[in-house]
Amino acid sequence: VREILDKNGLTECESHLNEWNYVRGWEGDDWIYSLHQMKNHKGAAFIAATMLMSQSEPLDMLMYYDARSPGGMNGMFDSDIVTVILKGYYPFYMFNKLYAEKNQVEATVSDADDVWACAASGDGGAVMMTYYNDDDGAPAKKDVKVTFKNVKSEHGVRLEYYIHGKDNDCELIREEIFTAEEFSAYITMPLHSTYLLKIVKI
């Protein structure tokens, strides 16, 4: 879209993706399947993948459809009791933690076309990543190596691992201490899971 706008002299025109959600199909069994997935961990992984992918694209605004309650396409809040949060809420919560670090830094994913990542630095730093594949028959787990570079802290850092997925709601599951400026973390990611790796200076 950006390329088409610029080619036609509309270089100051913004581009918005203003209605997006998980949809496999609009009719019959595909539509029923879609409505169910929007509210579970697969829909949440789709939300995370969309946000992480879009962060580095020439896109001005990205609006999830939708957070109204009641609403059939609301994967964030329960349709009957709006104070009950669903799986789709947590990718927004996790992305906000990333956003709070203020400065986006390079995040490169190699040898995995179904893992998306975004990283930021600030008071400490954070990486958010998700393993999403629309094929429910995709491998149930994926081994991922995350390498951090230029991490500076006089007394080292604590790396906190938060997972969101089928059996977890953005829960702290692991902590490690690192003292080098470059180090790697090894994670086995379940299909349709999202991780937030948070660097805390010691």
Side-chain angles (χ1 to χ4, degrees), residues 26 48 79 83 155 160 172 185-186:
W26 295 100
S79 295
T83 55
H155 304 291
E160 300 176 344
L172 178 64
Y186 296 85

Side-chain angles (χ1 to χ4, degrees), residues 124-158:
V127 174
M128 182 177 168
M129 57 187 192
T130 194
Y131 171 26
Y132 170 80
N133 191 317
D134 192 35
D135 181 0
D136 292 333
K141 296 181 179 180
K142 181 161 288 201
D143 292 327
V144 177
K145 177 183 176 182
V146 184
T147 299
F148 296 83
K149 297 180 180 180
N150 302 313
V151 179
K152 295 179 174 61
S153 179
E154 183 179 355
H155 304 291
V157 298
R158 182 176 70 252

Side-chain angles (χ1 to χ4, degrees), residues 11-167:
T11 56
E12 301 301 316
C13 179
E14 293 185 347
S15 67
H16 298 182
L17 179 53
N18 57 20
E19 287 191 15
W20 60 272
N21 202 330
Y22 175 84
V23 177
R24 173 173 282 182
W26 295 100
E27 296 178 342
D29 291 342
D30 282 346
W31 177 236
I32 294 170
Y33 176 88
S34 300
L35 289 172
H36 284 292
Q37 301 313 311
M38 287 177 199
K39 299 179 186 297
N40 71 18
H41 64 290
K42 181 175 182 177
F46 177 84
I47 289 171
T50 302
M51 290 194 293
L52 296 174
M53 177 181 65
S54 298
Q55 174 63 24
S56 298
E57 294 294 327
L59 183 68
D60 294 290
M61 287 195 176
L62 181 69
M63 296 90 152
Y64 172 76
Y65 187 91
D66 63 50
R68 294 176 298 171
S69 192
M73 298 183 77
N74 181 355
M76 298 175 66
F77 304 104
D78 186 272
S79 295
D80 298 319
I81 305 171
V82 296
T83 55
V84 175
I85 56 179
L86 303 178
K87 292 289 185 182
Y89 168 85
Y90 292 96
F92 291 94
Y93 174 83
M94 296 167 93
F95 194 88
N96 186 59
K97 295 295 183 186
L98 193 68
Y99 178 78
E101 294 291 335
K102 300 298 183 189
N103 306 303
Q104 183 178 358
V105 295
E106 183 181 5
T108 303
V109 177
S110 59
D111 302 324
D113 57 3
D114 45 13
V115 174
W116 285 265
C118 190
S121 66
D123 290 336
V127 174
M128 182 177 168
M129 57 187 192
T130 194
Y131 171 26
Y132 170 80
N133 191 317
D134 192 35
D135 181 0
D136 292 333
K141 296 181 179 180
K142 181 161 288 201
D143 292 327
V144 177
K145 177 183 176 182
V146 184
T147 299
F148 296 83
K149 297 180 180 180
N150 302 313
V151 179
K152 295 179 174 61
S153 179
E154 183 179 355
H155 304 291
V157 298
R158 182 176 70 252
L159 186 63
E160 300 176 344
Y161 298 71
Y162 297 85
I163 183 175
H164 180 59
K166 182 178 180 181
D167 301 316

